[in-house]
């Protein structure tokens, strides 16, 4: 494509930049970090806006009873440059000063981080913990990101053609665009319509509870409305005010994050009158961050695939030993499973039938490495982790739980596992970029047909699917169907191929890499943003 000129300001609550910096919680932040890195590598005229989280997201470890607990620590931001710019936003009738820092690491695509941790602020805590709170605190954070973000761009004299909200958290930036136009004399209708022309939106989770909403009176009390009336807010986001619904109405175009998610999102938001069109643009990854180039080279004939993979597998064995003390066996088929601990992802599906799984784990046919945090306030998710920790005690060195899932863990696991297991209850998984990391590292995906996988899966050729896209009427029915299908594919295909047909296995690894390395690289995603969303 020709060099794009549309200048985009990208807003996101979290950015996965580096494994030492807890400015991300999960997939949303990893996507945003990879997007910025891609913008730098491929010279797209983009600036990022985020928050400078003092503590960021939780470190999560396991206590002596096998239960997860949370721990926060201050982050190190020595690498940031002080822009000298400060803006302010009135939150709950109080002026909050916001300092603007610049992250130079992205060269032509700088990332600006906003910070309220200043001595003059009574509300210094706003940029304290990422997703640490709901309610008023969350609204305050989103006001800093959205309203503070637009004011920072103005103060920095950065011209912007389009505002891209990655998730609904940034919606108040749209409120600020409306306010600016009204202050310039436009009536509300015209200000709304013109702001809409400058905004695009990415919607993520198809899980209804993941789409944040706030009582209207709370938005008014916080001062987030910026002069809009209760009726105007209700017309935009409903009551309670749903941030996703608001963003769908206050954007000229939206995107879903995989082809299947496009269909799911259309259906899910069909009832929203006046919403923007939702086009599917499948997520992708920044290969230099996640992929061992020896693997892509080997798939193209420059090197030995299996040898390079075994190096990565040994590195994983080392990593697991360092973090947990457990000793994996490099000759045993190794499944990797790491993702947020939440019910629909079914971390425990593999253990459904002890009669099937017990001998596989005891006889050294299979070993599995788990990782993943639960949201600090999600007791159900923490219970799931405790269950997996229980299995790791029952099957020492065959089932391992690595605490405190982070980018380093994600990287080690998506390079060094043999198989990437993914079994969400379709169609709840929006995309699932960890499977892309695995695929391009020659780690074979074994997954239900959810998120990105239906776009890449060539069963028995570059990985495996199980469940055939089944959607159960009840969760119990769904789990029984997929659980049986998982055992079948493991016993009939995955395990025999691994132990009895290494040649085919290596051929599948190669196919996985070749099929995915361009299709799921961030360059393709950025080009599609410019061709389908930023127009
Ligand atoms: C890649 C990655 C994610 C996102 O992957 P999903 O497949 O969406 O779970 C989340 N967290 C970390 C640490 C990652 O490396």
């Amino acid at each position: 494509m020709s060099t794009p000129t549309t200048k985009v300001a990208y807003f996101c609550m979290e950015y996965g930049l580096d494994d030492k910096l807890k400015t991300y919680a999960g997939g949303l932040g990893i996507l945003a970090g990879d997007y910025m890195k891609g913008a730098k590598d491929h010279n797209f005229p983009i600036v990022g806006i985020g928050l400078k989280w003092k503590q960021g997201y939780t470190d999560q470890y396991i206590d002596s009873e096998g239960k997860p607990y949370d721990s926060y620590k201050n982050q190190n931001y020595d690498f940031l440059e002080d822009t000298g710019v400060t803006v302010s936003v009135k939150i709950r009738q109080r002026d909050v000063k916001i300092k603007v820092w610049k992250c130079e690491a992205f060269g032509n695509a700088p990332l600006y981080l906003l910070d309220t941790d200043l001595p003059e602020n009574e509300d210094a805590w706003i940029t304290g913990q990422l997703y640490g709170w709901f309610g008023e605190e969350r609204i305050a954070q989103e006001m800093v990101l959205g309203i503070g973000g637009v004011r920072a761009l103005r103060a920095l004299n950065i011209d912007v053609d389009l505002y891209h909200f990655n998730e609904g958290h940034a919606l108040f930036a749209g409120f600020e665009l409306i306010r600016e136009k009204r202050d310039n004399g436009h009536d509300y209708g015209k200000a709304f319509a013109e702001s809409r022309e400058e905004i695009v939106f990415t919607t993520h989770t198809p899980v209804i509870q993941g789409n944040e909403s706030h009582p209207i009176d709370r938005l008014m009390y916080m001062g987030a409305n910026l002069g809009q009336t209760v009726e105007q807010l209700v017309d935009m986001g409903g009551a309670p005010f749903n941030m996703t619904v608001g963003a769908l109405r206050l954007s000229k175009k939206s995107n879903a994050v995989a082809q299947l998610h496009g269909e799911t999102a259309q259906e899910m938001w069909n009832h929203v009158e006046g919403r923007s069109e939702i086009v599917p643009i499948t997520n992708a990854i920044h290969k230099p961050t996640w992929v061992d180039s020896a693997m892509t080279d080997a798939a193209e004939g420059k090197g030995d695939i299996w040898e390079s993979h075994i190096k990565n597998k040994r590195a994983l064995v080392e990593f697991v030993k360092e973090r947990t003390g457990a000793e994996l066996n490099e000759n045993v088929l190794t499944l990797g499973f790491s993702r947020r601990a939440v019910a629909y992802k079914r971390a425990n599906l593999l253990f459904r039938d002890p009669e099937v799984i017990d001998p596989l784990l005891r006889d050294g046919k299979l070993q599995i490495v788990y990782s993943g945090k639960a949201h600090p306030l999600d007791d159900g998710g923490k219970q799931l982790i405790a269950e997996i920790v229980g299995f790791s005690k029952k099957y020492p060195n065959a089932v391992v739980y690595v605490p405190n899932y982070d980018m380093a863990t994600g990287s080690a696991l998506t390079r060094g596992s043999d198989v990437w297991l993914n079994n969400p209850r379709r169609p709840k998984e929006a995309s699932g970029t960890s499977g892309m990391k695995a695929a391009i590292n020659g780690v074979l995906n074994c997954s239900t047909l959810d998120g990105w996988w239906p776009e890449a899966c060539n069963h028995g050729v570059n990985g495996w699917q199980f469940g055939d896209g089944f959607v159960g009427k009840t969760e119990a029915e769904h789990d029984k169907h997929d659980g049986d299908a998982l055992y079948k594919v493991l016993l009939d295909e995955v395990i025999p191929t691994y132990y009895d047909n290494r040649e085919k296995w290596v051929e599948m690894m190669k196919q996985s890499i070749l099929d995915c390395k361009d299709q799921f690289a961030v360059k393709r995603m950025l080009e599609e943003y410019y061709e389908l969303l930023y127009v």
Side-chain angles (χ1 to χ4, degrees):
M1 72 188 283
S2 56
T3 313
T5 52
T6 304
K7 181 120 189 180
V8 176
Y10 183 82
F11 287 68
C12 190
M13 277 285 258
E14 45 169 314
Y15 288 87
L17 303 175
D18 182 281
D19 57 24
K20 282 169 215 65
L21 203 62
K22 290 289 152 62
T23 48
Y24 64 95
L28 181 72
I30 300 294
L31 175 72
D34 282 11
Y35 169 94
M36 292 306 299
K37 294 172 189 174
K40 170 182 187 261
D41 292 355
H42 306 293
N43 248 311
F44 286 91
I46 288 167
V47 300
I49 301 285
L51 299 184
K52 178 173 171 280
W53 296 108
K54 181 173 184 153
Q55 297 189 315
Y57 199 57
T58 180
D59 284 317
Q60 198 169 74
Y61 302 102
I62 303 299
D63 67 18
S64 54
E65 286 166 14
K67 296 210 181 72
Y69 68 90
D70 293 293
S71 139
Y72 292 85
K73 60 174 180 289
N74 291 351
Q75 303 293 305
N76 179 348
Y77 287 100
D78 285 350
F79 62 95
L80 290 181
E81 185 191 307
D82 185 351
T83 63
V85 166
T86 304
V87 295
S88 88
V89 175
K90 209 179 240 342
I91 299 177
R92 247 178 328 213
Q93 304 295 337
R94 248 190 338 235
D95 268 324
V96 176
K97 290 272 181 293
I98 301 167
K99 193 169 166 58
V100 184
W101 299 86
K102 183 177 184 185
C103 173
E104 291 274 18
F106 302 106
N108 63 288
L111 172 65
Y112 294 94
L113 297 179
L114 311 177
D115 180 14
T116 61
D117 186 27
L118 308 172
E120 61 265 43
N121 277 336
E122 269 181 75
D123 302 306
W125 49 264
I126 295 175
T127 53
Q129 293 180 355
L130 170 61
Y131 305 134
W133 306 283
F134 302 112
E136 289 183 23
E137 285 74 15
R138 178 68 63 83
I139 294 170
Q141 296 178 333
E142 293 173 341
M143 289 174 74
V144 172
L145 176 69
I147 304 166
V150 172
R151 291 182 187 172
L153 289 165
R154 302 292 180 260
L156 293 161
N157 273 314
I158 294 174
D159 285 330
V160 174
D161 299 317
L162 267 186
Y163 301 82
H164 181 170
F165 302 165
N166 191 34
E167 252 302 343
H169 307 124
L171 178 61
F172 301 140
F175 290 16
E176 171 68 359
L177 296 179
I178 293 175
R179 184 202 62 78
E180 286 180 331
K181 292 174 180 58
R182 295 176 84 188
D183 281 4
N184 286 332
H186 288 357
D187 67 34
Y188 183 75
K190 189 156 191 251
F192 185 97
E194 284 187 2
S195 299
R196 192 175 185 276
E197 285 306 302
E198 299 175 325
I199 296 169
V200 297
F201 169 55
T202 302
T203 182
H204 287 262
T205 177
V207 179
I208 202 81
Q209 298 82 354
N211 290 273
E212 193 180 301
S213 63
H214 301 287
I216 297 269
D217 56 357
R218 189 176 292 158
L219 293 180
M220 301 296 284
Y221 161 75
M222 297 296 290
N225 58 312
L226 297 184
Q228 295 174 100
T229 64
V230 167
E231 290 71 31
Q232 287 163 343
L233 289 183
V234 174
D235 282 348
M236 195 194 312
F241 187 95
N242 185 297
M243 300 292 275
T244 306
V245 171
L248 285 167
R249 288 207 175 105
L250 188 55
S251 55
K252 68 167 172 176
K253 223 163 177 192
S254 301
N255 83 289
V257 293
Q259 306 302 309
L260 173 63
H261 179 229
E263 292 166 30
T264 313
Q266 292 279 2
E267 217 167 283
M268 180 172 179
W269 304 113
N270 217 4
H271 64 281
V272 179
E273 269 170 52
R275 70 160 166 83
S276 54
E277 179 194 2
I278 303 172
V279 298
I281 299 176
T282 304
N283 284 346
I285 59 162
H286 182 249
K287 282 192 289 186
T289 301
W290 301 109
V291 174
D292 175 11
S293 57
M295 293 303 300
T296 40
D297 286 350
E300 288 167 337
K302 294 172 293 226
D304 185 294
I305 293 191
W306 188 252
E307 220 170 81
S308 297
H309 172 63
I310 285 297
K311 268 191 205 152
N312 289 333
K313 192 168 180 181
R314 285 188 187 134
L316 172 64
V317 171
E318 265 313 296
F319 179 88
V320 164
K321 188 165 178 209
E322 256 169 51
R323 287 230 180 166
T324 69
E327 306 214 21
L328 295 171
N329 179 342
E330 71 173 55
N331 298 312
V332 172
L333 172 61
T334 304
L335 309 187
F337 185 107
S338 61
R339 41 191 52 86
R340 184 162 54 92
V342 60
Y344 78 84
K345 297 187 193 244
R346 301 187 293 194
N348 51 7
L349 190 69
L350 186 68
F351 295 98
R352 254 183 86 77
D353 187 349
E355 280 184 33
V356 180
I357 194 66
D358 188 87
L360 293 175
L361 294 169
R362 287 201 199 280
D363 301 346
K365 277 271 181 257
L366 208 61
Q367 57 194 4
I368 179 159
V369 186
Y370 282 96
S371 193
K373 295 173 185 170
H375 183 280
L377 301 174
D378 178 11
D379 291 333
K382 289 189 173 171
Q383 190 47 46
L384 272 173
I385 292 175
E387 200 181 322
I388 297 301
V389 171
F391 286 121
S392 76
K393 291 186 175 149
K394 185 167 174 196
Y395 304 105
N397 303 322
V399 177
V400 180
Y401 176 80
V402 181
N404 202 28
Y405 181 37
D406 59 6
M407 287 175 73
T409 316
S411 186
L413 270 163
T414 55
R415 287 172 196 236
S417 305
D418 296 308
V419 168
W420 196 246
L421 177 65
N422 181 39
N423 46 232
R425 253 183 227 124
R426 188 181 197 257
K428 293 242 174 2
E429 187 69 47
S431 178
T433 55
S434 59
M436 302 172 188
K437 300 169 195 166
I440 310 179
N441 278 310
V443 173
L444 299 177
N445 277 267
C446 180
S447 170
T448 51
L449 285 172
D450 203 5
W452 75 291
W453 187 229
E455 293 164 48
C457 177
N458 190 352
H459 181 85
V461 177
N462 64 6
W464 297 273
Q465 67 86 20
F466 58 93
D468 303 312
F470 181 77
V471 178
K473 282 189 203 67
T474 62
E475 289 184 354
E477 183 195 16
H478 203 147
D479 295 353
K480 166 147 185 29
H481 180 277
D482 288 352
D484 290 348
L486 169 58
Y487 287 145
K488 188 160 167 37
V489 75
L490 280 179
L491 292 169
D492 294 353
E493 301 188 59
V494 181
I495 292 173
T497 309
Y498 185 82
Y499 289 107
D500 307 332
N501 194 348
R502 187 61 48 85
E503 202 178 321
K504 178 174 179 203
W505 189 277
V506 171
E507 191 51 38
M508 288 182 73
M509 292 173 74
K510 178 176 166 187
Q511 208 53 54
S512 167
I513 297 168
L514 294 179
D515 288 352
C516 298
K517 71 180 177 47
D518 298 321
Q519 186 62 20
F520 301 101
V522 76
K523 178 162 185 279
R524 188 272 306 151
M525 183 183 88
L526 280 160
E527 287 175 355
E528 287 190 356
Y529 277 159
Y530 270 87
E531 281 160 11
L532 303 172
L533 187 65
Y534 300 164
V535 287

